[in-house]
Amino acid sequence: MDFLKVFTGAFVAFVQLFPYAVGASSWGYFGSDGPSHWSDVSATCGMSSQSPINIVSIDTIMSSMDAFTLSKFDTTTGLSLNMVNNGHTAQLNIDGAAVKVSGGGLTADYNTAQLHFHWGKTDAEGSEHTVDGTRFPMEMHIVNYRATYTSVSDAAGHSDGLAVLGFFFEIGNTSHPGIQKIVDVLSSITDAGTNTTVTPFMLNELLPSSLDNFYRYSGSLTTPNCNEVVTWSVFPQSIKITSSQMAVFRTLQSVEQNDDGNHNMYNNYRPVQAMGSRKLYANFNPNAGARPSVHLSLSLLALLSCILSRMF
Ligand SMILES: [Zn+2]
């Protein structure tokens, strides 16, 4: 009995890590395995609170949420990092230290389990979320599970189970030193199903300089089984990397054949899903562009000159 339990547990864990190895499910991003067929794999993928979405900034509802607190993102003590090519993405598994996120309008602590990436065939596409129709070359997801649950897979069975932080990338001229630590190990996980230990580094080296602003909505995992259990936080401040750093991600080998007939991993992003009756919140005013602040500066200047003219 116990043996059966252990064996079943090990098998389930194996299938979750390497589903393609046992043909337990067949989903991908191309052809007959592509996103339009995912509801055949899991009916949830066809439901009405799915992710990603197109963020329409004029539709956001301003909401005063407290700032995020990231714990143990600034230390390597006790941290254990392992990078895996799971056949669909490059994923950094995070263990050992009490890495967690709280605040940000969340109602509990969420333990950080892993982060992974979605990217394009070219720098013109790749992100899962879009902002007013703009797609970015890559998006990073930091996956956290509610501390009252035992793991990501346990939390995936509860509507408040997961909090995912989404970050956009943009192409710049300067190599990003944090992302380079990921890029450096990609050559060790070229083949699907391989993994490598990563020398611990501070996870905040991967983040943009400010986490002050974010969008918030309720959605799902963006891969089957598309569980509708995710509190999404999408950050407008992007991470800048070079086109050559970006290119290394495309050297990974996917479990599926792409539209060029080889296995280079790219376009591992799901198309945006209907917002339906859901609401999109933001803790900032995304419509407050540069122009209002110019007006403000001009009126301050006018006020100042008025004061000065009275003084002299
Ligand atoms: Zn993701």
Side-chain angles (χ1 to χ4, degrees):
M1 189 66 179
D2 277 352
F3 171 76
L4 190 65
K5 227 176 186 176
V6 169
F7 178 78
T8 310
F11 182 73
V12 167
F14 180 78
V15 170
Q16 281 172 347
L17 271 175
F18 310 112
Y20 53 87
V22 289
S25 63
S26 184
W27 64 269
Y29 294 96
F30 297 95
S32 59
D33 282 345
S36 61
H37 300 273
W38 288 0
S39 49
D40 300 338
V41 178
S42 168
T44 308
C45 299
M47 290 174 71
S48 56
S49 294
Q50 291 288 294
S51 295
I53 57 160
N54 175 39
I55 291 167
V56 181
S57 56
I58 56 163
D59 287 349
T60 53
I61 299 165
M62 293 270 288
S63 169
S64 55
M65 293 175 275
D66 54 340
F68 270 99
T69 301
L70 275 51
S71 306
K72 306 292 184 185
F73 275 68
D74 58 353
T75 180
T76 58
T77 306
L79 190 62
S80 171
L81 301 176
N82 190 270
M83 195 84 198
V84 58
N85 174 344
N86 68 10
H88 299 293
T89 187
Q91 180 171 312
L92 186 70
N93 291 323
I94 299 159
D95 284 300
V99 183
K100 64 180 181 184
V101 305
S102 58
L106 301 173
T107 56
D109 286 358
Y110 281 74
N111 296 327
T112 305
Q114 49 106 333
L115 59 87
H116 63 265
F117 301 86
H118 302 265
W119 62 89
K121 182 176 184 174
T122 70
D123 293 344
E125 58 181 327
S127 69
E128 295 215 293
H129 290 91
T130 56
V131 179
D132 297 325
T134 298
R135 197 177 288 287
F136 300 88
M138 188 156 73
E139 183 170 336
M140 176 171 73
H141 291 156
I142 302 182
V143 179
N144 315 277
Y145 65 93
R146 196 174 173 97
T148 47
Y149 305 123
T150 58
S151 64
V152 169
S153 51
D154 176 26
H158 301 269
S159 61
D160 60 356
L162 299 175
V164 181
L165 313 185
F167 298 92
F168 297 121
F169 287 77
E170 287 184 279
I171 302 299
N173 296 322
T174 314
S175 179
H176 189 293
I179 296 301
Q180 187 59 35
K181 292 177 182 179
I182 301 281
V183 169
D184 282 341
V185 297
L186 294 182
S187 61
S188 302
I189 56 161
T190 302
D191 296 330
T194 57
N195 72 88
T196 188
T197 301
V198 178
T199 306
F201 62 88
M202 292 186 289
L203 295 169
N204 65 7
E205 291 182 43
L206 301 174
L207 301 176
S209 57
S210 168
L211 302 183
D212 288 350
N213 295 348
F214 58 91
Y215 298 98
R216 163 65 44 77
Y217 78 100
S218 295
S220 74
L221 297 176
T222 65
T223 57
N225 294 321
C226 308
N227 308 43
E228 295 184 336
V229 298
V230 180
T231 301
W232 276 98
S233 305
V234 179
F235 294 80
Q237 190 178 72
S238 66
I239 303 164
K240 309 282 188 299
I241 64 169
T242 61
S243 193
S244 51
Q245 286 184 306
M246 194 55 256
V248 183
F249 284 85
R250 302 183 192 112
T251 65
L252 293 176
Q253 297 298 289
S254 164
V255 69
E256 67 176 322
Q257 193 169 294
N258 61 31
D259 56 0
D260 277 340
N262 60 55
H263 280 73
N264 290 341
M265 193 183 285
Y266 59 68
N267 287 3
N268 52 356
Y269 67 89
R270 187 188 196 191
V272 293
Q273 306 292 302
M275 192 65 183
S277 60
R278 287 179 289 176
K279 292 187 165 45
L280 173 66
Y281 299 94
N283 73 335
F284 67 108
N285 181 3
N287 306 305
R291 209 171 287 173
S293 67
V294 168
H295 284 167
L296 185 66
S297 317
L298 286 177
S299 29
L300 279 175
L301 204 62
L303 182 68
L304 193 66
S305 61
C306 182
I307 292 168
L308 287 174
S309 64
R310 276 162 190 259
M311 281 174 75
F312 306 104

